[in-house]
Amino acid sequence: MPEQDAVDVIIAKRDGAALSDEQIDWVIAAYTRGDVADEQMAALAMAILLNGMTDAETARWTAAMIASGERLDLSAVTRPTVDKHSTGGVGDKITLPLAPLVAACGAAVPQLSGRGLGHTGGTLDKLESIPGWRASLTNAEFLAQLSDVGAVVCAAGDGLAPADRKLYALRDVTGTVESIPLIASSIMSKKIAEGSSALVLDVKVGAGAFMKAADSARELAQTMVALGAAHGVRTVALLTDMSTPLGLSAGNALEVRESLEVLAGGGPPDVVELTLALAREMLSCAGVDADPADALRDGRAMDVWRAMIAAQGGDPAAPLPTARETHVVTAAETGVLTRLDAMAVGVAAWRLGAGRARKEDPVSAGAGVVLHAKPGDAVRAGQPLLELHADDPARFDRALAALDDAWDIGGAALAPTPLILDRIS
Ligand code: URA
């Protein structure tokens, strides 16, 4: 099709029409090749954000993005394959204990992951704080580790959904991220291309998440579950609370340390609860009858963690890096912590060096925030609330500015809010 067809596609969506299968297939393929310009795709993404897509358009858009690259063939792996994807939150280190735990129960977990951008950390950044660990594997190494160890967390190669790689970078700088059809097709094209037979989605809701309201999170979850089913991937979603950080730490090595506590049978109760809930969903989707709590208790999950880290060059026994400087923030009054804002803590951790502003920036392994209290806890005036960790003390001021008005201390006890808000299948 000639170049002006891009304009026809943009105008059709601008005027509220549904795009045809041919238009969608063409525009995704031509954009991947470079025949549709970034400014044209940006205009189309904005028209989609404003006017939406029907379920049929979203399904076709996803299929076209999968078809822009390779779909991994995991048929050589004898165990059932199942993956997890989180839409991203603050302190969300769940993949770290979860992947080895599910592998210890008999499924295989192929997880192609990303680095963090903005206030949510990336799983690869967290694992890279382990001395020697490397994120890049060849397809052959990936498959061998999946068969031998049962769990692989590594960087996605350039061959998976290249249309999404280009489009996501463009959306990031054109104010077009927050569209449910575009988010759903972006996430699901990568996850379906990864080749896993089953997928559990952790869709975050609240201040620290993409989706601030339960209704939009539910719509995103339903869209993704339907896309998975349409492509033969058994998909279940949990809606989980992200109004406050998960666990007691946000930052790369800090989160690895907390994950090790969970694998050792301890760790913060919310991290343990979500790890077990997601593990149960993954095992059920994979058709494996096992109780993951047993594998945490008896150390089998920790054994798989060690094997998984060592297989990628990491030293599971090496001390984790720590930041050079710390700064303690104390409570100004006595009472009950009634709110601790996830977004503020995420931005503070980012400004301390745990995250990056541009994708080529380095991250600090030791930087981040440690929580000394969670919403619902009683606090006394003068007691530590948060501990900031950074290599460079000049970073504390901007992190403290992010934490301005980040919590409330009240007189009355809080009704506990559930961590798992809904399940969509
Ligand atoms: N994560 C993705 O991979 N894509 C989106 O569009 C949003 C979050």
Side-chain angles (χ1 to χ4, degrees):
M1 281 194 194
E3 174 64 14
Q4 70 264 26
D5 280 342
V7 180
D8 291 343
V9 176
I10 296 165
I11 289 173
K13 187 44 76 183
R14 182 199 68 188
D15 292 346
L19 302 180
S20 68
D21 289 354
E22 294 70 30
Q23 283 175 312
I24 291 172
D25 292 352
W26 175 79
V27 83
I28 295 285
Y31 179 59
T32 311
R33 284 196 306 271
D35 291 346
V36 165
D38 273 348
E39 59 270 25
Q40 294 176 311
M41 198 50 151
L44 181 59
M46 184 59 82
I48 292 170
L49 180 132
L50 295 173
N51 291 329
M53 287 206 280
T54 64
D55 291 349
E57 284 177 286
T58 308
R60 190 71 181 204
W61 187 274
T62 308
M65 295 223 290
I66 297 168
S68 73
E70 58 176 327
R71 187 170 175 176
L72 291 186
D73 176 6
L74 303 184
S75 57
V77 181
T78 50
R79 307 187 201 189
T81 51
V82 58
D83 190 12
K84 186 262 329 190
H85 178 81
S86 158
T87 57
V90 177
D92 184 1
K93 70 277 297 168
I94 299 291
T95 289
L96 275 50
L98 181 65
L101 173 59
V102 171
C105 293
V109 184
Q111 181 154 135
L112 300 175
S113 234
R115 290 192 166 71
L117 197 59
H119 75 283
T120 62
T123 300
L124 299 183
D125 295 324
K126 295 171 197 180
L127 287 166
E128 277 174 342
S129 68
I130 299 170
W133 188 86
R134 70 188 162 95
S136 290
L137 296 182
T138 62
N139 277 3
E141 287 171 329
F142 172 79
L143 286 172
Q145 186 176 330
L146 196 55
S147 295
D148 298 347
V149 179
V152 190
V153 182
C154 68
D158 291 342
L160 289 191
D164 177 64
R165 191 173 294 265
K166 258 185 108 173
L167 181 55
Y168 191 37
L170 184 70
R171 287 166 56 218
D172 209 28
V173 294
T174 56
T176 50
V177 169
E178 292 88 353
S179 149
I180 286 178
L182 291 180
I183 296 175
S185 54
S186 165
I187 292 173
M188 292 306 287
S189 61
K190 286 175 288 209
K191 286 287 146 181
I192 294 165
E194 184 187 88
S196 175
S197 312
L199 176 65
V200 175
L201 298 162
D202 180 3
V203 180
K204 301 288 187 195
V205 189
F210 263 123
M211 298 289 150
K212 311 290 179 209
D215 283 354
S216 42
R218 193 169 290 112
E219 188 184 334
L220 175 63
Q222 280 160 347
T223 308
M224 292 195 290
V225 167
L227 287 173
H231 287 272
V233 179
R234 283 185 302 283
T235 308
V236 170
L238 296 184
L239 250 56
T240 71
D241 181 58
M242 188 29 72
S243 55
T244 204
L246 202 49
L248 295 171
S249 64
N252 299 310
L254 292 170
E255 293 191 43
V256 173
R257 192 165 293 123
E258 192 168 286
S259 303
L260 285 167
E261 290 169 14
V262 173
L263 287 163
D270 56 344
V271 180
V272 176
E273 179 186 346
L274 189 52
T275 303
L276 287 175
L278 290 166
R280 290 195 175 103
E281 293 291 352
M282 289 170 76
L283 292 168
S284 153
C285 278
V288 175
D289 182 19
D291 183 358
D294 291 341
L296 265 192
R297 233 187 333 262
D298 63 20
R300 276 179 292 143
M302 181 67 101
D303 291 343
V304 177
W305 161 268
R306 292 198 183 102
M308 174 180 115
I309 296 303
Q312 287 169 249
D315 178 356
L320 290 165
T322 51
R324 280 192 285 276
E325 308 284 339
T326 57
H327 176 95
V328 175
V329 180
T330 55
E333 61 215 299
T334 296
V336 174
L337 185 66
T338 51
R339 181 180 68 91
L340 178 59
D341 186 87
M343 179 62 100
V345 173
V347 172
W350 176 23
R351 290 184 180 175
L352 290 166
R356 53 170 72 76
R358 289 168 309 157
K359 65 178 188 323
E360 53 284 352
D361 291 347
V363 294
S364 157
V369 180
V370 172
L371 278 53
H372 286 275
K374 296 271 282 184
D377 288 351
V379 294
R380 275 174 296 98
Q383 85 159 67
L385 264 191
L386 302 171
E387 202 176 277
L388 313 187
H389 293 231
D391 293 326
D392 176 2
R395 289 181 176 265
F396 288 140
D397 279 351
R398 289 201 67 233
L400 288 167
L403 292 166
D404 206 27
D405 195 32
W407 64 86
D408 293 320
I409 296 176
L414 259 192
T417 38
L419 178 59
I420 298 167
L421 305 168
D422 206 350
R423 176 181 188 277
I424 286 139
S425 60

